[in-house]
Amino acid sequence: MKIIISGGGSGGHIYPAVAIANALQDHDPSNELLFVGAQGKMEMQQVPAAGYPIVGLSIRGIQRKQVFRNLSVPFRMLHSLWKAKRLLKHFQPDVVVGTGGYASAPILYAATQLQIPTLVQEQNAYAGLTNRLLAKRLDKVCVAYKHMDRYFPADKIVLTGNPVRQDITNLAEKRLAAYEYFGLVPDRPCLLVLGGSLGAHTINESVLQALDQLLEAGIQVIWPTGSLYFEDIQAQLTEQQRAFVKLYPFIELMNLAYAAADVVVSRAGALAIAELCIVGKPTIFIPSPNVVADHQTKNLQPLVAQDAALLIHDKEARQKLSQTVIQLFQDADRQSALVQSMRHWAKQQATADIVTLIYALANGS
């Protein structure tokens, strides 16, 4: 098959797209895949790093703060639609797949005009603007949460879960290798801090403030800060803290990071939640307040209601994080209860189910 995959702007849209692409290649190495993204955005680096070609469109999203920059948006959209149609006629895909973000809007819209089958994968409990606007034109919508018929036609929805990287299973047998890889102290429990693909200011500040208490409690830390924050935080660590804090701008081998972790502190992006449910790690989530419609809190609410995760609001993180983390480390029964509940939300077959649907669309069913 020939398949175009589009989505970008953040890791939450890019990594599911790459996971789907990897599964399509594993299913049949002769499949021809092409990504479409937005010029200047992170997908233009991340996708080639994953081994796939990508074409960039000049599309830009709506600026909520610098309103004057929106003047060019209609012209960029028209140019991107024109380029998308040319690309579709040249590449002639069997299916076009979108994983969200404004980067996917032109190619999906053009595909529906040319009657090319379309499938989108919506990660969040609150559907993204692009997917909502295109909802009635799409053929299939793969979702991770129930009650998504408030955004999409019910007959197009398939509850698959979110596609995740395939190397995050069987973590117990990777724990020793993980401790060696990160240079961790044997028999000392480990906290993994995740702020999303770009890092998170509040989480970074809260962890930095809590470090001395965490280390006194015998906890060591794996901490990808995000590239914007790395040098500043590194300069603030004391020599004693550096012995027990493994600081990185970004972690490539996330499977080993998960394997090493006993407890996780994380933003509540849909992909992070999906992965943590599969790996089964007790997690304290701190949803980002800087997202549309507070969708990270909405992602998390079903898990909190089922006692599958702990929630700290962003504005309370500096005051509550240290105590909450230490209490969780000291309560093995609470950890076990959280993990047991989380596993009910794990959907390990999500990627395979999405691939099956793509093949069905390509075959006209």
Side-chain angles (χ1 to χ4, degrees), residues 12-25:
H13 296 310
I14 298 166
Y15 301 141
V18 171
I20 292 168
N22 289 342
L24 285 165
Q25 286 293 86

Side-chain angles (χ1 to χ4, degrees), residues 70-307:
N70 293 329
L71 294 174
S72 67
V73 169
F75 302 100
R76 288 179 178 273
M77 175 61 82
L78 289 172
H79 182 267
S80 296
L81 280 169
W82 172 78
K83 188 173 179 178
K85 282 186 178 180
R86 285 188 61 192
L87 182 62
L88 290 169
K89 290 176 181 178
H90 174 73
F91 188 73
Q92 296 186 333
D94 296 287
V95 182
V96 175
V97 178
T99 57
Y102 57 80
S104 65
I107 198 77
L108 284 168
Y109 183 82
T112 63
Q113 286 189 313
L114 297 174
Q115 298 185 318
I116 298 169
T118 54
L119 175 148
V120 301
Q121 195 274 317
E122 173 57 59
Q123 299 91 39
N124 294 294
Y126 179 85
L129 179 61
T130 296
N131 290 347
R132 281 185 282 132
L133 290 174
L134 292 171
K136 292 182 179 180
R137 304 178 68 96
L138 302 168
D139 293 300
K140 290 292 180 183
V141 182
C142 298
V143 300
Y145 293 88
K146 296 178 180 178
H147 311 301
M148 294 299 284
D149 53 352
R150 71 189 79 174
Y151 307 114
F152 306 111
D155 60 337
K156 298 183 179 185
I157 294 173
V158 183
L159 181 62
T160 59
N162 283 322
V164 300
R165 65 195 94 207
Q166 297 302 297
D167 60 353
I168 60 173
T169 57
N170 303 318
L171 293 182
E173 61 192 42
K174 301 174 184 176
R175 186 172 175 87
L176 180 60
Y179 262 59
E180 292 176 353
Y181 176 81
F182 290 107
L184 297 169
V185 178
D187 301 322
R188 190 174 179 122
C190 179
L191 171 70
L192 173 62
V193 179
L194 301 174
S197 56
L198 301 177
H201 179 67
T202 301
I203 290 180
N204 285 340
E205 273 198 350
S206 302
V207 173
L208 189 63
Q209 180 179 302
L211 271 186
D212 287 337
Q213 291 173 280
L214 296 176
L215 300 188
E216 285 174 13
I219 299 165
Q220 58 191 331
V221 185
I222 298 174
W223 185 5
T225 62
S227 57
L228 291 176
Y229 305 101
F230 176 73
E231 291 184 2
D232 180 58
I233 293 174
Q234 188 179 47
Q236 295 184 62
L237 294 185
T238 66
E239 185 176 346
Q240 181 182 7
Q241 289 172 341
R242 288 193 182 98
F244 301 104
V245 178
K246 308 305 175 182
L247 203 70
Y248 304 89
F250 181 80
I251 293 178
E252 294 286 348
L253 298 180
M254 274 304 300
N255 61 327
L256 294 185
Y258 285 136
D262 296 287
V263 169
V264 180
V265 169
S266 177
R267 281 300 197 205
L271 186 62
I273 292 173
E275 290 191 346
L276 286 162
C277 287
I278 289 174
V279 303
K281 299 290 180 175
T283 305
I284 301 163
F285 287 101
I286 305 175
S288 171
N290 306 312
V291 294
V292 176
D294 194 24
H295 70 248
Q296 288 201 359
T297 301
K298 291 180 172 68
N299 290 343
L300 191 57
Q301 283 172 341
L303 279 78
V304 173
Q306 296 296 319
D307 201 26

Side-chain angles (χ1 to χ4, degrees), residues 56-76:
L57 303 178
S58 60
I59 184 74
R60 288 287 183 273
I62 300 295
Q63 299 292 320
R64 291 177 173 81
K65 295 182 179 179
Q66 297 175 305
V67 180
F68 69 93
R69 297 184 66 182
N70 293 329
L71 294 174
S72 67
V73 169
F75 302 100
R76 288 179 178 273

